[in-house]
């Protein structure tokens, strides 16, 4: 495609339906209903078009992708096209027979999320008492012959239990554990003052991560996703806007990243109206921040502009209302005080406050519309 970057990853958000109500959910604040979702044949077409664009990996996500009864059909289509498939799941609803049928269809791997090391922490952040189901899911994934990858989102309510969280993942047989410090968009931004750790908490957790990573070398891989509010420079989000991957939402809207639906000032195209190749290479939203030409100072004249691409457009919009501004995480951003102020508040939060006291203040991901009826 004549100098146009090629995506290698497709995040297929097949539904927003989910049994959990996580306070840091990365889905948009306005969740889509089941009746808005693409039909099976639309997803099959999207997968074929993605393969034609150069995509080699498809990550099935949500919400909880297991609520879609046609997941096997979509996985089988990927297999037929030679694409690697990964299931990103809460584990709730995963049975032995479902795991077997997904593996038969060609599923390559699964990533199981946990919220903490016990039922209490799961209930506090996800309003779910089914920690036992997570352990069942881990066993089912391993017995199905899939590598067990795990993920936990870290925040001030579970950071100091990092050792115990890692112990749980070791005992469940995880091969890889992603320790993902909360990124503050959407629901997480609504709860930021309760989720953002203090500097001291973060430093202690980094020490635990380094010690356990060394101890577990060769047994379980540990990955640390930075808490970017504490970094001097922003993350090179998605390797730059519309460079390496794309996300298709349950209703077929296509985004350069999973959080971009929150940028309400931009129009994103749908696979219902255009094919994926046109959206990737020609749509205004994908072209808007591709490369570096769109940048204003301080990014335009900065030697790091090809390193971090001005940071995250979604974070710039979330904090300033303008997706074209320098990510406020950057120490050179004129909006950096917005991040500094949040860090000052984080140091003032009462870390000793009990679970019930915090629960009253947290904004939980709302039940899905169809669950409210
Ligand atoms: Fe990155 Fe822009 Fe900050 Fe430079 S000024 S470090 S390019 S965000």
């Amino acid at each position: 495609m004549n100098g146009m970057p090629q995506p290698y990853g497709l995040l297929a958000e097949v539904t927003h339906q989910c049994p959990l109500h996580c306070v840091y959910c990365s889905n948009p604040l306005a969740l889509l209903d089941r009746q808005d979702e693409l039909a099976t044949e639309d997803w099959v077409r999207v997968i074929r078009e993605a393969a034609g664009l150069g995509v080699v990996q498809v990550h099935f996500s949500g919400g909880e992708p297991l609520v879609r009864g046609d997941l096997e059909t979509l996985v089988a289509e990927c297999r037929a096209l030679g694409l690697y498939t990964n299931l990103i799941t809460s584990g709730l609803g995963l049975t032995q027979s479902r795991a077997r049928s997904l593996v038969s269809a060609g599923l390559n791997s699964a990533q199981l999320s946990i919220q903490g090391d016990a039922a209490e922490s799961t209930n506090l952040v996800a309003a779910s008492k089914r920690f036992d189901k997570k352990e069942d899911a881990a066993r089912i994934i391993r017995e199905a012959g899939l590598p067990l990858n795990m993920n936990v989102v870290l925040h001030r309510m579970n950071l100091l239990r990092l050792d115990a969280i890692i112990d749980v993942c070791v005992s469940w047989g995880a091969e890889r554990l992603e320790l993902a410090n909360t990124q503050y968009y959407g629901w997480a931004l609504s709860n930021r003052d309760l989720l953002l750790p203090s500097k001291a908490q973060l430093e202690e957790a980094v020490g635990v991560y380094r010690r356990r990573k060394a101890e577990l070398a060769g047994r379980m891989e540990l990955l640390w996703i930075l808490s970017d509010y504490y970094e001097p420079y922003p993350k090179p989000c998605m390797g730059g806007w519309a460079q390496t991957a794309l996300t298709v939402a349950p209703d077929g809207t296509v985004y350069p990243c999973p959080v971009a639906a929150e940028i309400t000032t931009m129009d994103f195209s749908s696979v219902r109206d255009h094919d994926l190749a046109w959206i990737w290479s020609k749509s205004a939203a994908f072209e808007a921040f591709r490369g570096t030409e769109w940048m204003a100072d301080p990014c335009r004249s900065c030697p790091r502009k090809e390193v971090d691409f001005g940071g995250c457009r979604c974070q710039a919009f979330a904090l300033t209302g303008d997706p074209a501004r320098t990510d406020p995480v950057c120490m050179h951003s004129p909006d950096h005080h917005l991040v500094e102020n949040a860090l000052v508040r984080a140091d003032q939060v009462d870390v000793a406050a009990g679970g019930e006291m915090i629960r009253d203040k947290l904004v939980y991901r709302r039940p899905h519309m169809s669950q409210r009826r």
Side-chain angles (χ1 to χ4, degrees):
M1 276 198 288
N2 283 342
M4 178 66 62
Q6 265 192 316
Y8 64 81
L10 167 67
L11 183 69
E13 284 185 344
V14 290
T15 185
H16 279 166
Q17 309 271 317
C18 186
L20 301 183
H21 308 286
C22 299
V23 295
Y24 44 68
C25 177
S26 61
N27 287 155
L29 293 175
L31 298 171
L32 293 163
D33 202 358
R34 192 107 206 219
Q35 68 213 21
D36 300 319
E37 293 175 5
L38 291 180
T40 308
E41 58 270 26
D42 295 324
W43 276 114
V44 167
R45 174 173 60 84
V46 166
I47 289 165
R48 288 179 186 160
E49 290 177 2
L53 256 180
V55 162
V56 293
Q57 301 174 0
V58 179
H59 303 270
F60 290 101
S61 173
E64 173 49 67
L66 289 170
V67 305
R68 291 274 308 215
D70 57 358
L71 202 50
E72 285 80 350
T73 304
L74 308 184
V75 169
E77 184 64 29
C78 292
R79 166 58 65 96
L81 293 163
L83 307 179
Y84 182 90
T85 49
N86 181 36
L87 172 70
I88 299 172
T89 180
S90 67
L92 274 63
L94 184 65
T95 60
Q96 272 181 328
S97 64
R98 192 79 202 271
R100 274 198 293 265
S101 67
L102 285 165
V103 170
S104 297
L107 185 67
N108 295 109
S109 70
Q111 185 191 72
L112 174 68
S113 65
I114 56 170
Q115 286 69 36
D117 62 299
E120 296 75 37
S121 45
T122 302
N123 195 19
L124 181 60
V125 300
S128 164
K129 298 193 169 135
R130 304 319 309 265
F131 186 70
D132 56 331
K133 292 288 177 199
K134 302 261 180 190
E135 184 167 9
D136 290 348
R139 179 179 43 74
I140 289 168
I141 289 168
R142 282 189 293 107
E143 287 175 358
L146 294 170
L148 176 61
N149 297 312
M150 293 185 66
N151 165 282
V152 59
V153 175
L154 297 175
H155 45 78
R156 73 158 52 232
M157 290 177 278
N158 66 5
L159 255 187
L160 297 185
R161 297 199 53 81
L162 189 52
D163 254 325
I165 290 169
I166 294 169
D167 285 342
V168 162
C169 297
V170 170
S171 70
W172 289 3
E175 294 180 18
R176 184 174 182 270
L177 170 60
E178 193 176 274
L179 301 166
N181 282 282
T182 305
Q183 309 292 308
Y184 294 98
Y185 322 104
W187 301 89
L189 188 58
S190 305
N191 290 300
R192 187 179 62 187
D193 286 350
L194 293 167
L195 294 172
L196 189 61
S198 68
K199 189 155 199 239
Q201 285 176 315
L202 188 66
E203 283 173 353
E204 187 175 334
V206 169
V208 171
Y209 158 70
R210 290 194 178 131
R211 171 171 53 77
R212 298 303 300 271
K213 187 176 175 70
E215 277 172 23
L216 291 166
R219 190 169 162 206
M220 183 171 85
E221 184 187 2
L222 285 186
L223 276 102
W224 181 259
I225 312 295
L226 292 170
S227 177
D228 69 344
Y229 271 41
Y230 282 101
E231 297 295 311
Y233 300 115
K235 54 188 173 287
C237 200
M238 304 296 294
W241 182 269
Q243 293 292 319
T244 61
L246 70 176
T247 295
V248 179
D251 65 349
T253 310
V254 187
Y255 300 100
C257 90
V259 190
E262 291 295 308
I263 307 180
T264 51
T265 53
M266 296 181 74
D267 285 325
F268 294 94
S269 302
S270 169
V271 295
R272 296 186 199 270
D273 305 317
H274 299 280
D275 64 39
L276 222 42
W278 183 90
I279 294 171
W280 175 262
S281 60
K282 299 259 185 352
S283 67
F286 273 67
E287 283 289 277
F289 304 118
R290 200 174 246 143
T292 56
E293 285 304 303
W294 58 273
M295 291 177 177
D297 276 329
C299 295
R300 178 179 288 277
S301 51
C302 177
R304 286 182 57 87
K305 70 179 178 187
E306 307 259 6
V307 177
D308 61 34
F309 315 105
C312 173
R313 298 303 87 224
C314 305
Q315 187 146 268
F317 178 79
L319 296 183
T320 74
D322 181 356
R325 288 183 77 78
T326 297
D327 187 334
V329 160
C330 178
M331 60 193 273
H332 302 308
S333 161
D335 304 308
H336 187 55
H337 63 280
L338 298 172
V339 170
E340 288 179 319
N341 292 348
L343 294 178
V344 169
R345 283 200 301 281
D347 267 332
Q348 293 164 349
V349 171
D350 179 9
V351 289
E356 286 310 315
M357 222 174 115
I358 291 175
R359 186 190 304 277
D360 288 345
K361 295 181 182 161
L362 287 167
V363 181
Y364 287 87
R365 175 188 146 126
R366 283 185 295 276
H368 193 273
M369 279 171 66
S370 57
Q371 292 169 317
R372 282 205 299 265
R373 286 181 191 140

